[in-house]
């Protein structure tokens, strides 16, 4: 009887950790770390605590700076080791990647130059399957969604009036290098597809989603009544990639998913907001994936403080968005994303 009971308990645990159908769970975290957590007091330690808590399989970071000749990737993996978590990484600048699995290849897809963004790739094997994970921090200039809100998207000076002509908005938007970086990604990812890789990209794209600027949201968050086919997310979707947040929560009115600016209590509002007279709430942080027969999205949540900065004021306007709240200090001006998949 005791032997049978032990066998039952073992099988139950095995099916929990690795399901009887051969499935496992994988978790991905995307987060802009706001100058390596240096802007908020005790921000770096809080960042390490949050990364350890989430315990993701792969982590995609933005605003890696390697200050004072340091190697942020080496530093953060050591901080995580001290918290009982083993991660692998490699030297990068502006964007960064962490993996719980040994990295078998890495590459610079879009090198940072003159602060126009960056993108890196790592490749790892999980249960014999190849994964290509990309982290992007795209160009913050020619940020046309600010022009719509009455601020110049290159210098953030107040304009005489909001820019509302769609052709002018799109011309300014594509003057950035964001779409250039995404096209580099698409070309590299096409090669990875030929190798049978599962492909995930995450990052601070510094551009809204065309799924969020639609008829339903035209009168919200200073959209000026406009419907805008923003370039980066359109390119990804046209090439078969899926936005995890909009797959899980397709209604942008009920689930706006705003990731910036976060209501970070440890920072002054003038540090958090670039447009103090506007409602600049926006979803600019993403995880996209290439659909695969053995990859099923299970859950997606924002991670960070509840509330927003609206017209220079802290606001707790409620939304239906699921939010994992911070342990204590929140180290960045963005919310991040946590996506979980069932994997065969």
């Amino acid at each position: 009887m005791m032997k049978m009971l032990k066998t039952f308990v073992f099988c139950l645990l095995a099916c929990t950790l690795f399901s009887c159908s051969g499935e496992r769970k994988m978790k991905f975290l995307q987060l802009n770390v706001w100058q390596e957590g240096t802007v908020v007091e005790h921000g770096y330690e809080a960042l390490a605590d949050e990364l350890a808590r989430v315990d993701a399989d792969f982590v995609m970071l933005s605003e890696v700076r390697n200050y004072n000749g340091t190697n942020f990737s080496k530093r953060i993996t050591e901080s995580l080791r001290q918290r009982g978590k083993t991660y692998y990484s490699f030297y990068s600048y502006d964007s960064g990647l962490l993996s719980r699995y040994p990295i078998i290849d890495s590459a610079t897809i879009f090198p940072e130059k003159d602060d126009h963004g960056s993108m890196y790739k790592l490749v790892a094997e999980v249960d014999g399957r190849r994964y290509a994970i990309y982290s992007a921090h795209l160009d913050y200039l020619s940020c046309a969604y600010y022009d719509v809100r009455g601020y110049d998207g290159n210098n953030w000076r107040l304009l005489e009036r909001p820019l509302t002509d769609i052709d002018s908005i799109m011309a300014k938007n594509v003057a950035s290098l964001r779409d250039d970086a995404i096209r580099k990604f698409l070309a590299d990812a096409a090669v990875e597809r030929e190798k049978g890789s599962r492909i995930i990209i995450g990052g601070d794209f510094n551009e809204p989603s065309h799924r969020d600027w639609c008829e339903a949201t035209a009168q919200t968050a200073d959209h000026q009544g406009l419907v805008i086919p923003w370039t980066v997310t359109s390119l990804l979707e046209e090439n078969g990639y899926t936005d995890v947040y909009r797959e899980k929560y397709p209604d942008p009115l009920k689930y706006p998913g705003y990731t910036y600016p976060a209501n970070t209590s440890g920072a002054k509002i003038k540090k958090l907001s670039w447009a103090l007279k506007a409602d600049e709430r926006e979803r600019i942080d993403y995880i996209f994936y290439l659909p695969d027969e053995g990859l099923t999205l299970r859950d997606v949540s924002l991670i960070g403080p509840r509330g927003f900065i609206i017209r220079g004021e802290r606001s707790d306007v409620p939304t239906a968005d699921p939010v994992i709240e911070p342990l204590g200090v929140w180290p960045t001006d963005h919310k991040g994303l946590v996506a979980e998949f069932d994997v065969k």
Side-chain angles (χ1 to χ4, degrees):
M1 183 68 179
M2 183 58 70
K3 185 177 180 180
M4 289 177 62
L5 181 59
K6 287 181 178 179
T7 301
F8 172 76
V9 171
F10 174 80
C11 290
L12 184 63
L13 287 171
C15 285
T16 301
L17 297 173
F18 189 88
S19 79
C20 295
S21 63
E23 288 187 353
R24 61 172 293 158
K25 295 179 180 63
M26 291 187 71
K27 188 185 294 184
F28 299 81
L29 169 65
Q30 177 278 323
L31 185 64
N32 179 313
V33 297
W34 204 13
Q35 319 298 352
E36 299 182 0
T38 60
V39 182
V40 176
E41 188 175 5
H42 306 300
Y44 175 80
E45 293 302 319
L47 171 62
D49 289 342
E50 291 291 353
L51 294 179
R53 172 173 67 138
V54 174
D55 196 26
D57 293 274
F58 294 101
V59 181
M60 297 153 279
L61 303 174
S62 298
E63 296 199 17
V64 170
R65 301 305 189 201
N66 302 313
Y67 289 123
N68 302 316
T70 60
N71 181 332
F72 176 79
S73 298
K74 185 176 181 179
R75 183 183 176 206
I76 196 67
T77 52
E78 174 58 23
S79 296
L80 288 167
R81 186 193 65 77
Q82 294 170 5
R83 290 160 172 80
K85 307 294 181 181
T86 299
Y87 279 92
Y88 302 90
S89 190
F90 58 94
Y91 183 87
S92 62
Y93 180 78
D94 192 53
S95 302
L97 286 156
L98 305 176
S99 169
R100 289 181 61 181
Y101 309 93
I103 296 169
I104 61 175
D105 195 11
S106 63
T108 305
I109 306 302
F110 192 81
E112 187 279 334
K113 184 179 179 182
D114 300 328
D115 211 10
H116 284 291
S118 65
M119 187 185 299
Y120 291 85
K121 174 184 74 173
L122 70 75
V123 177
E125 285 191 1
V126 183
D127 298 332
R129 185 66 189 263
R130 182 181 172 101
Y131 285 77
I133 312 298
Y134 298 78
S135 180
H137 182 214
L138 301 186
D139 192 358
Y140 80 101
L141 294 169
S142 299
C143 202
Y145 73 90
Y146 271 97
D147 293 78
V148 176
R149 292 179 165 104
Y151 283 78
D152 188 301
N154 278 311
N155 57 35
W156 283 268
R157 293 175 184 149
L158 192 62
L159 301 173
E160 288 187 10
R161 65 183 63 84
L163 181 63
T164 57
D165 176 71
I166 298 292
D167 289 342
S168 299
I169 293 164
M170 297 307 295
K172 179 159 189 176
N173 187 60
V174 299
S176 81
L177 299 186
R178 290 185 290 274
D179 55 333
D180 302 72
I182 290 300
R183 288 190 173 93
K184 291 279 190 181
F185 158 73
L186 291 170
D188 190 84
V191 177
E192 288 293 342
R193 291 172 74 168
E194 292 298 317
K195 295 178 180 179
S197 300
R198 286 176 170 156
I199 300 170
I200 310 283
I201 179 172
D204 172 4
F205 289 178
N206 277 313
E207 187 173 308
S209 170
H210 66 293
R211 293 286 177 187
D212 297 348
W213 284 62
C214 58
E215 291 289 351
T217 62
Q219 303 304 325
T220 68
D222 283 358
H223 286 198
Q224 312 296 345
L226 300 178
V227 174
I228 301 180
W230 298 105
T231 309
V232 165
T233 55
S234 296
L235 278 170
L236 287 168
E237 191 172 292
E238 287 163 8
N239 283 274
Y241 288 85
T242 298
D243 174 349
V244 297
Y245 203 80
R246 281 291 161 253
E247 178 181 346
K248 187 69 177 178
Y249 307 108
D251 183 348
L253 198 58
K254 185 176 181 181
Y255 298 95
Y258 300 130
T259 60
Y260 181 85
N263 184 22
T264 303
S265 60
K268 294 180 179 179
I269 289 175
K270 66 182 180 180
K271 286 278 190 180
L272 297 169
S273 173
W274 289 37
L276 288 170
K277 294 184 178 180
D279 183 350
E280 62 190 306
R281 290 176 295 169
E282 199 61 74
R283 188 170 71 99
I284 55 175
D285 301 85
Y286 306 89
I287 297 174
F288 277 78
Y289 76 104
L290 186 66
D292 180 277
E293 189 174 295
L295 203 59
T296 304
L297 184 64
R298 168 182 282 266
D299 197 19
V300 186
S301 294
L302 301 175
I303 180 168
R306 291 190 179 274
F308 314 96
I309 308 300
I310 304 176
R311 305 192 201 287
E313 300 287 341
R314 298 184 188 274
S315 175
D316 196 19
V317 176
T319 71
D321 297 301
V323 180
I324 301 169
E325 297 192 59
L327 290 167
V329 171
W330 183 244
T332 168
D333 54 345
H334 288 243
K335 292 183 177 73
L337 281 171
V338 179
E340 296 184 68
F341 290 83
D342 289 328
V343 181
K344 290 183 182 178

